Amino acid sequence: MNNLQLNRNRQHIFPLIILILYCFLLSLPTIEYGYLLEDYAYLRSYSLSEIADTFYSHWEPSQKESKGYRPLHSIHYGLFYLLIGGDPVLNHILHIIIFSTAIILLYYFTYRITKSRSAGLWTALVYSTLGTTAWQVTWLVNRQHLLQIIFFLSMLISYDVYLVHSTGSSPHRSRANKYWLISFVFFILALLLKETAVIYPFIIFSFAVIVREKKIKSQLKPLALFFLSLIIFLIIRHSIVKDMHIKIPPPISTNLNIRARELYRTVLTSLVQTQGAVDPRDEWPFDYTGFG
């Protein structure tokens, strides 16, 4: 049994080596970049009071950025700054390591679903070359986006393990409960890192029902805490951000036609540009076509 498991693990060595080398070579030029734009503002040491404030106030101490409730932003910036300092070279090397980790997780997740190393390898390779991925890798301040990918995939993989073992014997159910907890922890981390995680419970539910062909009723209990946590998060977020008044980005239009046009334009231009489309009101149009 051990030899069989060892042989199964060995089959992934070659794809993993290819992915690691590919991520490194693809990202190698970024080591020379230094800091860009907001990198100067965010990649610094944070006081304990600044970190504490983000749990009941704006996610960004200067309050110049878009409104949001993202406590883990200042925590992960401050933590990495404490560990490696502010040297751009070291931060870009860390970025490449985080990027490679995310791509490896994508390979493993795809392999779990398809049982095909080729599918896993090509999925990871294609994703790593997308324009939006390049934007996340080259700009150090976008480290949270790479971490979000890691949290998201770790959550899905852990929940998939839970699904596999939840219908087995008592020892298997015990292991299943452990992976359910791991999945839930990654969801909470993702939720506190950025609001995009509000759709994750729906993705997990869809994954279980559509991909793993589980009955809808069987997923109500294990996902109840996910959705309850989501509701609590939205209530907390609303109570914190409702009174925030900032000039950047500009106010969001409530006109349905304008919102639809902006969303279409944002999606279309984001496919071909790493930084969206130039707008006379806002250089980053996707900033105000997101959670709102």
Side-chain angles (χ1 to χ4, degrees):
M1 185 67 179
N2 290 334
N3 290 334
L4 180 61
Q5 185 63 39
L6 184 62
N7 290 332
R8 288 178 179 175
N9 292 334
R10 284 177 176 172
Q11 68 176 336
H12 300 296
I13 293 177
F14 183 65
L16 292 181
I17 291 176
I18 291 178
L19 288 174
I20 292 172
L21 289 175
Y22 182 74
C23 289
F24 177 75
L25 293 175
L26 192 66
S27 311
L28 190 60
T30 64
I31 295 179
E32 303 176 350
Y33 284 1
Y35 281 173
L36 302 171
L37 297 178
E38 286 115 321
D39 291 345
Y40 290 97
Y42 292 107
L43 301 181
R44 58 177 177 82
S45 61
Y46 285 75
S47 67
L48 291 178
S49 61
E50 283 181 314
I51 291 176
D53 286 346
T54 61
F55 281 90
Y56 57 85
S57 182
H58 198 286
W59 64 274
E60 189 265 316
S62 70
Q63 299 191 15
K64 294 180 180 179
E65 292 289 340
S66 55
K67 296 191 296 184
Y69 181 66
R70 307 166 188 172
L72 283 190
H73 264 251
S74 58
I75 291 178
H76 88 78
Y77 286 140
L79 176 62
F80 285 127
Y81 190 91
L82 181 66
L83 293 176
I84 64 174
D87 182 15
V89 173
L90 292 178
N91 277 276
H92 276 296
I93 292 174
L94 174 64
H95 231 52
I96 294 174
I97 294 174
I98 296 175
F99 173 49
S100 301
T101 302
I103 295 303
I104 289 172
L105 284 173
L106 179 59
Y107 162 80
Y108 179 68
F109 175 71
T110 307
Y111 173 78
R112 281 188 65 88
I113 304 304
T114 64
K115 300 303 179 184
S116 168
R117 288 178 297 164
S118 178
L121 179 62
W122 282 107
T123 300
L125 288 175
V126 169
Y127 182 82
S128 63
T129 58
L130 295 179
T132 50
T133 308
W135 172 63
Q136 294 162 6
V137 174
T138 56
W139 203 346
L140 290 175
V141 78
N142 284 319
R143 184 183 295 152
Q144 75 271 9
H145 295 150
L146 296 178
L147 290 175
Q148 192 78 327
I149 297 171
I150 291 176
F151 292 161
F152 173 69
L153 290 171
S154 298
M155 176 195 69
L156 272 180
I157 292 171
S158 300
Y159 197 80
D160 190 35
V161 176
Y162 161 77
L163 292 176
V164 171
H165 294 280
S166 59
T167 56
S169 58
S170 181
H172 286 278
R173 286 197 299 271
S174 177
R175 186 183 182 192
N177 292 335
K178 180 180 71 174
Y179 277 96
W180 176 91
L181 180 61
I182 294 174
S183 179
F184 179 73
V185 168
F186 277 116
F187 166 64
I188 295 298
L189 289 175
L191 198 59
L192 295 178
L193 186 63
K194 200 161 187 179
E195 292 92 337
T196 50
V198 296
I199 64 172
Y200 289 1
F202 299 95
I203 293 177
I204 285 187
F205 177 77
S206 301
F207 170 78
V209 173
I210 298 174
V211 179
R212 290 310 187 194
E213 299 181 340
K214 300 293 182 180
K215 294 183 178 179
I216 294 177
K217 187 177 180 181
S218 70
Q219 297 307 302
L220 298 181
K221 183 177 179 180
L223 289 178
L225 192 56
F226 284 78
F227 283 98
L228 178 61
S229 301
L230 175 59
I231 294 172
I232 294 174
F233 169 81
L234 292 176
I235 293 173
I236 294 174
R237 183 187 185 278
H238 174 71
S239 65
I240 289 175
V241 305
K242 66 178 181 179
D243 296 323
M244 290 181 183
H245 300 285
I246 57 176
K247 296 181 180 180
I248 303 176
I252 298 175
S253 171
T254 56
N255 184 283
L256 183 59
N257 290 331
I258 294 177
R259 298 294 296 155
R261 185 170 64 252
E262 288 179 348
L263 180 60
Y264 168 77
R265 178 175 173 276
T266 298
V267 172
L268 183 64
T269 54
S270 294
L271 292 175
V272 296
Q273 298 184 39
T274 61
Q275 298 179 346
V278 176
D279 188 283
R281 298 176 302 161
D282 187 0
E283 186 180 358
W284 310 96
F286 43 76
D287 279 352
Y288 56 86
T289 54
F291 184 68

